Amino acid sequence: MSGVVQKIEKAPQGGHYLTVGGKRAYAGPDLTLKVEVGSPVEIGDALTDGVPHPAKVVAAKGLGAGRA
């Protein structure tokens, strides 16, 4: 989802919960966040240093972004 990172909370099991546009996503404890509160994001942007699933990137940003 596109929007602005509204909130970042530490998760009790480790990792973080990120809220963008009212939707919450989980980032595991082995991942480093690439955004902070107030960061603008577009659909398909990487929020962590993890490797995104190529098919999901293609669906969100197109074939060229998926290949990259």
Side-chain angles (χ1 to χ4, degrees), residues 40-52:
V41 294
E42 293 184 20
I43 190 165
D45 285 353
L47 303 179
T48 69
D49 65 348
V51 178

Side-chain angles (χ1 to χ4, degrees), residues 5-67:
V5 178
Q6 299 164 319
K7 188 189 307 185
I8 297 175
E9 306 169 273
K10 288 194 178 209
Q13 70 275 24
H16 295 87
Y17 287 112
L18 295 93
T19 304
V20 177
K23 289 199 173 190
R24 196 162 98 158
Y26 175 71
D30 55 329
L31 300 172
T32 302
L33 299 179
K34 294 175 75 175
V35 295
E36 55 189 35
V37 173
S39 296
V41 294
E42 293 184 20
I43 190 165
D45 285 353
L47 303 179
T48 69
D49 65 348
V51 178
H53 192 283
K56 291 182 179 182
V57 175
V58 168
K61 293 196 148 218
L63 187 57
R67 287 180 176 162

